């Protein structure tokens, strides 16, 4: 037994003990979009900085990685609240987010994350349902999913910013994802790259796999509640057969 397999088994044992359930049987993967499917966060951050600057609000790009996973309206209200500017109306939030979205489009299309399509294909081939769970409402990226990830995310297996009242870090997005897949928390993994998304998956009771594809320190990912953590999608991909053999015993 390698240390990697040992770590996966230990992570599963800790999850089962914490949840008070006797077993885990993987049936669905609930997958974030930005930073997992696409290397889009650098563009999102720059688009947010430009929009906020037009309002006379200065924010470093790194700031927006901390809010990754929240809906656009929630990010806007959070920033305004922090600066004592009060809450914006839904109409104003929609207008400001449209400016941010236009800034994002102007930066060009983000690249697909390396090996992610292979990871999702492997999950599909092993009978694991795939559900998109994103806090994004960026239509320019959402429109690419069927082309870039053919057969991976059916239209009725997608949860976006438009489908929830309380976005990440609340559990609602992942609870809705489980409902679409027809699974219980002990039958679902969450694949996330941001602390708020990890917090949401953890709060929903899922087994959360974090991947540090951005600048957020690993310590923040563990603190948010990750059950397993990988430094890249490639490292996750390399251990996926072991993960499947442990979390989905029927795969053997």
């Amino acid at each position: 037994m390698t240390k990697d397999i040992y770590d996966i088994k230990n992570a599963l044992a800790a999850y089962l003990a914490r949840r008070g359930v006797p077993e885990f049987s993987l049936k669905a993967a609930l997958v974030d979009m930005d930073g997992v499917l696409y290397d889009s966060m650098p563009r999102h951050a720059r688009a947010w900085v430009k929009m906020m600057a037009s309002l006379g609000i200065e924010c470093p790009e790194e700031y927006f990685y901390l809010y990754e996973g929240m809906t656009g309206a929630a990010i806007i209200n959070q920033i305004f609240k922090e600066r004592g500017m009060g809450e914006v109306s839904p109409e104003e939030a929609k207008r400001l987010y449209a400016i941010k979205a236009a800034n994002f489009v102007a930066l060009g299309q983000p690249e697909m994350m390396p090996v992610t399509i292979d990871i999702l294909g492997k999950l599909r081939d092993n009978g694991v349902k795939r559900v998109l769970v994103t806090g994004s409402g960026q239509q320019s990226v959402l429109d690419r999913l069927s082309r870039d990830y053919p057969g991976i995310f059916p239209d009725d297996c997608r949860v976006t910013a438009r489908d929830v009242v309380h976005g990440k870090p609340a559990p609602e997005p992942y609870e809705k994802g489980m409902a679409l897949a027809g699974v219980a928390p002990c039958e679902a993994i969450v694949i996330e790259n941001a602390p708020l998304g990890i917090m949401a998956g953890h709060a929903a009771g899922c087994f959360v796999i974090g991947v540090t594809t951005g600048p957020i320190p690993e310590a923040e990912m563990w603190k948010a509640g990750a059950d397993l953590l990988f430094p890249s999608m490639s490292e996750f991909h390399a251990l996926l057969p072991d993960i499947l053999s442990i979390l989905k015993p029927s795969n053997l």
Side-chain angles (χ1 to χ4, degrees), residues 88 106 113 136 151 168 184 231 252:
V88 303
M113 290 296 291
S136 177
K168 303 170 186 178
L252 294 175

Side-chain angles (χ1 to χ4, degrees), residues 6-248:
Y6 180 77
D7 289 344
I8 297 167
K9 288 189 172 182
N10 271 354
L12 177 59
Y15 169 87
L16 295 175
R18 184 179 74 250
R19 294 287 301 163
V21 293
E23 62 183 4
F24 186 97
S25 180
L26 177 58
K27 295 181 180 178
L30 313 179
V31 187
D32 182 39
M33 183 171 72
D34 295 304
V36 175
L37 301 181
Y38 296 100
D39 188 16
S40 47
M41 274 310 298
R43 286 176 173 82
H44 279 300
R46 290 196 290 272
W48 276 116
V49 167
K50 183 176 180 180
M51 190 278 284
M52 288 296 172
S54 72
L55 303 176
I57 300 173
E58 294 186 8
C59 299
E61 289 185 11
E62 293 78 11
Y63 187 87
F64 294 97
Y65 285 88
L66 296 174
Y67 292 128
E68 182 181 353
M70 293 174 69
T71 64
I75 291 174
I76 291 166
N77 276 305
Q78 179 69 25
I79 293 172
F80 274 50
K81 180 180 177 181
E82 289 175 356
R83 286 158 176 75
M85 299 170 64
E87 187 168 313
V88 303
S89 68
E91 294 75 20
E92 180 64 1
K94 184 176 181 180
R95 184 186 74 82
L96 294 175
Y97 186 77
I99 296 172
K100 176 266 170 184
N103 292 342
F104 179 91
V105 171
L107 292 170
Q109 293 191 343
E111 298 79 13
M112 295 170 65
M113 290 296 291
V115 308
T116 299
I117 192 166
D118 298 322
I119 291 170
L120 295 171
K122 181 74 170 177
L123 291 170
R124 177 196 58 204
D125 295 344
N126 280 271
V128 178
K129 296 179 181 178
R130 292 84 48 213
V131 180
L132 177 77
V133 182
T134 176
S136 177
Q138 189 75 47
Q139 196 61 44
S140 61
V141 182
L142 291 168
D143 287 343
R144 293 178 55 190
L145 281 173
S146 295
R147 182 190 72 201
D148 293 341
Y149 293 91
I152 298 296
F153 297 108
D155 290 340
D156 60 351
C157 287
R158 301 181 184 186
V159 179
T160 73
R162 295 184 289 272
D163 302 312
V164 299
V165 176
H166 304 291
K168 303 170 186 178
E172 182 185 344
Y174 283 112
E175 290 172 343
K176 289 202 169 187
M178 285 187 284
L180 290 179
V183 300
C186 60
E187 297 172 326
I189 59 171
V190 162
I191 303 174
E192 269 282 359
N193 76 307
L196 295 186
I198 289 173
M199 290 171 64
H202 181 88
C206 303
F207 186 92
V208 183
I209 297 175
V211 188
T212 53
T213 61
I216 304 298
E218 288 188 2
E220 292 299 315
M221 307 282 272
W222 287 119
K223 182 180 176 181
D227 293 291
L228 276 176
L229 187 61
F230 294 94
S232 68
M233 295 303 292
S234 295
E235 298 249 0
F236 176 29
H237 179 247
L239 282 176
L240 184 56
D242 293 327
I243 292 171
L244 284 169
S245 70
I246 293 167
L247 300 186
K248 193 176 190 295

